[in-house]
Amino acid sequence: MLTLAVDIGGGTIKVAAFGPKGERATETLSRPTPSPATPDSVCALVRDMAGTLPPFERVSVGFPGIVKRNVTINAPNLGNELWHRVPLGAELGRTLGHPIRVVNDVDLQGLGVVQGEGVELVLTLGTGMGAALFTEGVLVPNLELGHHPFRNGHTYEDLVRDTELKRIGKVEWTARVVSVLEQLEPIFNYDRLHLGGGNARNIAAQLPSNVRLFTLEEALRGAPKLWDD
């Protein structure tokens, strides 16, 4: 049984297929996210990308916003007005003809990287900042941390998003990321922090021993786990 993993991001959409134990069955395909990123254009692109892969039987979708029961509630980096209460699971199900489960993108990635022991926080640094929280391997869904106030009227995401990295450079941006980690550690008292996203590779500092970097490639291995009931 192959599971199709779909990662919908503000900049790119990625798909890959995995076996039941998370073993890779295909390479990861990546395409720019449509602009504007309407539900119809996103579903059409996912259909076209999935059509180039071997047959799969179910689909796990990571979406960059709050998701409840396969319905998107918001999408700060895609356009909230386009994605308010969109039944993405049902729409993609009709498009692909397979069972669909949709969750927050970092929630899905976390399933692929957490070790299942203690409190584990997952952060991604990309277009924005995503977060997921796990306790003993159990997901606390829809942790909306990036848009929480952090400093001088700015949110975490305001200070470490991709546009800020490009504006201020790696050194100052890294200092901001370190400040974010220092703020979050005594709040969540996590045993382990998993740090990923496309911009994690730009961190120019030594991180604490309980912080590990991960890639999207390993994170997408969590797609079959979304179907563990």
Side-chain angles (χ1 to χ4, degrees):
M1 176 179 289
L2 292 186
T3 302
L4 180 69
V6 180
D7 181 77
I8 300 174
T12 61
I13 293 177
K14 299 179 178 68
V15 302
F18 295 86
K21 296 183 179 180
E23 65 273 24
R24 178 171 293 280
T26 68
E27 295 299 315
T28 300
L29 301 181
S30 179
R31 299 288 185 273
T33 302
S35 181
T38 65
D40 286 345
S41 65
V42 168
C43 287
L45 179 57
V46 171
R47 177 199 63 211
D48 293 345
M49 296 172 72
T52 68
L53 300 180
F56 51 88
E57 297 183 342
R58 58 191 185 183
V59 184
S60 297
V61 180
F63 181 80
I66 301 300
V67 180
K68 294 185 177 182
R69 299 177 180 87
N70 295 318
V71 175
T72 66
I73 304 302
N74 66 3
N77 294 310
L78 294 180
N80 283 331
E81 70 282 357
L82 298 174
W83 292 94
H84 182 60
R85 297 198 177 279
V86 173
L88 183 58
E91 293 190 10
L92 265 181
R94 288 191 293 269
T95 299
L96 298 177
H98 293 286
I100 311 283
R101 289 187 178 179
V102 185
V103 295
N104 173 266
D105 55 347
V106 188
D107 289 355
L108 179 61
Q109 293 180 36
L111 290 173
V113 300
V114 298
Q115 299 179 11
E117 298 177 355
V119 177
E120 297 178 84
L121 185 64
V122 183
L123 295 181
T124 58
L125 302 170
T127 303
M129 189 190 93
L133 182 65
F134 292 78
T135 60
E136 303 298 337
V138 178
L139 171 67
V140 180
N142 292 314
L143 177 66
E144 189 55 87
L145 186 59
H147 299 103
H148 193 277
F150 174 44
R151 178 188 297 165
N152 299 326
H154 296 291
T155 66
Y156 291 100
E157 182 167 299
D158 288 338
L159 296 177
V160 299
R161 64 188 308 146
D162 182 63
T163 53
E164 285 297 285
L165 170 61
K166 293 174 180 175
R167 185 180 71 86
I168 63 179
K170 290 184 180 181
V171 174
E172 185 174 343
W173 179 83
T174 294
R176 291 184 179 186
V177 172
V178 171
S179 293
V180 168
L181 301 186
E182 290 174 346
Q183 177 71 23
L184 295 179
E185 198 282 330
I187 294 175
F188 292 97
N189 293 295
Y190 49 76
D191 297 288
R192 192 170 293 104
L193 171 67
H194 305 272
L195 190 57
N199 284 333
R201 63 180 181 273
N202 292 307
I203 296 175
Q206 183 71 34
L207 297 173
S209 60
N210 64 340
V211 177
R212 65 174 294 270
L213 299 179
F214 70 87
T215 66
L216 181 63
E217 297 297 312
E218 62 179 300
L220 289 181
R221 294 200 304 255
K225 293 182 180 179
L226 189 59
W227 294 85
D228 293 343
D229 292 324

